Amino acid sequence: KNKTIKKDLEKINLTKLNIMPAKTVVNIDSLIKYKLVKREEAESLGIKILGDGELSVSLTVNIPVSKNAKIKIEKAGGSVSV
């Protein structure tokens, strides 16, 4: 049998998104622009935002997030649309 190879997602803690200006749309391109991920890793592994830390800017997040991250993004006045 062939074993399924499971790749880990590229994980980013919520607190790292504070370097982005308010109202930024968070997607693979913006994460690359702010040097939070490398294109090769993002495209091959996928990305997920985790809820570690606090967020102080309002962002629109268009990539998968954890439940805790979603709560904190919305608390900071942002939104999640995945």
Side-chain angles (χ1 to χ4, degrees):
K1 288 184 175 181
N2 290 334
K3 292 184 180 180
T4 303
I5 298 173
K6 185 176 179 183
K7 296 180 180 179
D8 285 335
L9 291 168
E10 182 70 23
K11 298 171 188 87
I12 300 173
N13 287 320
L14 190 64
T15 191
K16 291 187 176 186
L17 300 182
N18 283 312
I19 66 168
M20 296 181 167
K23 308 296 182 197
T24 298
V25 174
V26 180
N27 55 31
I28 289 176
D29 292 331
S30 62
L31 292 173
I32 293 167
K33 177 181 175 182
Y34 288 96
K35 297 180 177 26
L36 295 174
V37 295
K38 294 179 180 171
R39 181 171 301 279
E40 303 79 36
E41 294 167 350
E43 291 175 350
S44 67
L45 302 177
I47 298 173
K48 185 168 188 174
I49 304 295
L50 303 180
D52 190 31
E54 294 298 321
L55 184 65
S56 60
V57 293
S58 172
L59 302 170
T60 300
V61 181
N62 292 337
I63 55 176
V65 300
S66 68
K67 290 178 187 176
N68 196 23
K70 183 176 187 211
I71 292 167
K72 291 180 178 183
I73 290 165
E74 291 172 347
K75 183 179 175 185
S79 64
V80 177
S81 57
V82 175

